[in-house]
Amino acid sequence: MKIIKWGFIGCGEVTEKKSGPAFSEVAGSMVEAVMSRSEVKARKYAERHQIQKWYTDAQELIDDPDVNAIYIATPPSSHATFAIMAMKAGKPVYIEKPLAASYEDCARINKISSDTGVPCFVAYYRRYLPYFQRIKSIIDAGVIGKIINVQIRFAVPAPDLDYNSPNLPWRLQPDIAGGGFFYDLAPHQLDLLQYYFGVITEANGICANRGGLYKAEDSVSACFKFENGLPGSGSWCFVAYNSAKEDRVEVIGDLGQISFSVFNYAPIVLHTQNGEEIIEVSNPSYVQFPLIKSVIEHLQGIGYCHCTAVSATPVNWVMDRILGKF
């Protein structure tokens, strides 16, 4: 595949701000068509971004002979269905995170990818961002020594939309999202840690709804262990008091410690015997650009992208274990 002509299934906010424009900025790549169940939304998106075709039916977009790769940017509950449809049609897939709404659906996606030989990639784009690459280089270089413990701490107040119980956002509807905000935000944190330290092989959690704004969990505590024996823990609260906001991961070694954020890209803080060092790293304006470039070069046969469905599946396994799904 020399020229990648993408078909977008879904054209929501993420495609406007994080990913969509990047597909046309990589050499040998363009957006051929877009699909939304809303005719008005699909048409206006196509017009706004100078895209030739728009559809309201996903199968019609997949069957378009001018489309040879599919980007799935819908809520997680439909990821497996659309991915399987595309791969059975012989078209590679790039899926928004998490890979699916359950570990079981991830396994289905991986089986079809294996059976058809059609690649499937997942948008864990933080692996490729300079900010997180810098953290990995510090850890891998042994600057903080042998890693002893890993901790995630995340707390945010409930946004105004969460108080509208008759019309809650889809991210708070477990049948669509897989869970509450935990299933939407924790994937990035857990994927990064597994990228740094290997697969998590043990995980347990305690979940609660303390705010009473919706039925999904709003507070989660978890402990887990990586394949190399490294222990870790995490706490997430999505109904915190405003001044209690926190977005922090701490990696503790026997020679130092490194702290960083996952969502706001606050300066990295490194503590060693030499004292405290503040490290600022900027990211590209379209944060998915480095990963999308890697996916495209993989499809063109001039590179390799390691952000595959298989590599993304352990995240869903860990989340489902923490939420007590099995």
Side-chain angles (χ1 to χ4, degrees):
M1 299 174 66
K2 297 303 180 184
I3 304 296
I4 315 301
K5 297 183 178 181
W6 293 92
F8 287 7
I9 299 179
C11 51
E13 183 180 6
V14 68
T15 68
E16 294 275 8
K17 298 181 177 181
K18 295 181 178 181
S19 62
F23 286 91
S24 298
E25 290 194 5
V26 180
S29 174
M30 59 178 290
V31 183
E32 179 72 20
V34 64
M35 173 266 166
S36 172
R37 288 179 299 176
S38 165
E39 178 179 338
V40 172
K41 189 174 183 179
R43 176 173 51 80
K44 287 188 174 181
Y45 188 96
E47 292 173 352
R48 189 163 61 251
H49 296 281
Q50 292 81 53
I51 298 170
Q52 293 185 15
K53 305 174 187 177
W54 55 267
Y55 295 94
T56 57
D57 183 271
Q59 189 66 64
E60 289 183 7
L61 177 138
I62 291 170
D63 290 341
D64 186 329
D66 293 326
V67 171
N68 59 10
I70 305 296
Y71 171 38
I72 299 172
T74 60
S77 60
S78 59
H79 286 185
T81 298
F82 292 141
I84 289 170
M85 288 166 57
M87 289 186 291
K88 285 187 172 181
K91 300 186 179 183
V93 181
Y94 177 69
I95 306 177
E96 273 302 323
K97 61 83 209 163
L99 174 56
S102 69
Y103 171 67
E104 181 180 0
D105 274 354
C106 293
R108 292 174 56 218
I109 291 172
N110 288 329
K111 183 179 187 305
I112 298 302
S113 181
S114 176
D115 289 349
T116 60
V118 178
C120 179
F121 306 95
V122 185
Y124 283 122
Y125 59 87
R126 281 174 168 81
R127 295 189 202 178
Y128 283 75
L129 286 177
Y131 180 94
F132 299 104
Q133 286 288 317
R134 181 67 177 275
I135 294 163
K136 189 176 191 305
S137 69
I138 292 170
I139 294 170
D140 290 350
V143 175
I144 60 173
K146 178 182 178 181
I147 307 304
I148 305 299
N149 194 273
V150 179
Q151 301 171 7
I152 301 170
R153 296 202 301 274
F154 186 80
V156 289
D160 291 343
L161 288 174
D162 295 6
Y163 291 87
N164 185 9
S165 55
N167 189 30
L168 289 170
W170 64 261
R171 288 177 174 83
L172 293 175
Q173 301 177 44
D175 58 329
I176 298 175
F181 280 127
F182 174 79
Y183 222 85
D184 182 55
L185 297 175
H188 277 303
Q189 298 160 320
L190 294 168
D191 179 74
L192 272 173
L193 292 185
Q194 293 188 95
Y195 174 53
Y196 291 158
F197 306 116
V199 174
I200 293 172
T201 55
E202 296 181 32
N204 292 283
I206 297 175
C207 309
N209 184 300
R210 304 297 293 168
L213 300 178
Y214 41 79
K215 293 182 179 180
E217 71 288 335
D218 60 24
S219 296
V220 178
S221 293
C223 58
F224 41 86
K225 185 168 76 172
F226 296 84
E227 58 186 340
N228 63 4
L230 173 66
S233 61
S235 66
W236 295 263
C237 179
F238 303 100
V239 288
Y241 183 63
N242 190 58
S243 63
K245 290 174 66 174
E246 188 168 23
D247 171 16
R248 186 179 181 89
V249 175
E250 293 185 351
V251 180
I252 302 167
D254 61 1
L255 297 178
Q257 174 179 313
I258 188 167
S259 303
F260 58 93
S261 69
V262 173
F263 298 102
N264 62 29
Y265 311 117
I268 300 162
V269 181
L270 174 64
H271 290 275
T272 65
Q273 62 181 1
N274 297 322
E276 181 181 272
E277 181 181 357
I278 306 299
I279 304 169
E280 296 192 23
V281 182
S282 60
N283 289 318
S285 55
Y286 299 121
V287 290
Q288 290 200 29
F289 178 83
L291 173 54
I292 290 171
K293 182 174 185 289
S294 179
V295 169
I296 291 167
E297 290 177 349
H298 184 121
L299 296 177
Q300 292 172 331
I302 59 175
Y304 177 79
C305 179
H306 56 71
C307 212
T308 63
V310 171
S311 77
T313 295
V315 172
N316 284 77
W317 183 89
V318 173
M319 291 195 298
D320 285 3
R321 287 286 298 171
I322 290 172
L323 294 180
K325 290 188 178 184
F326 62 84

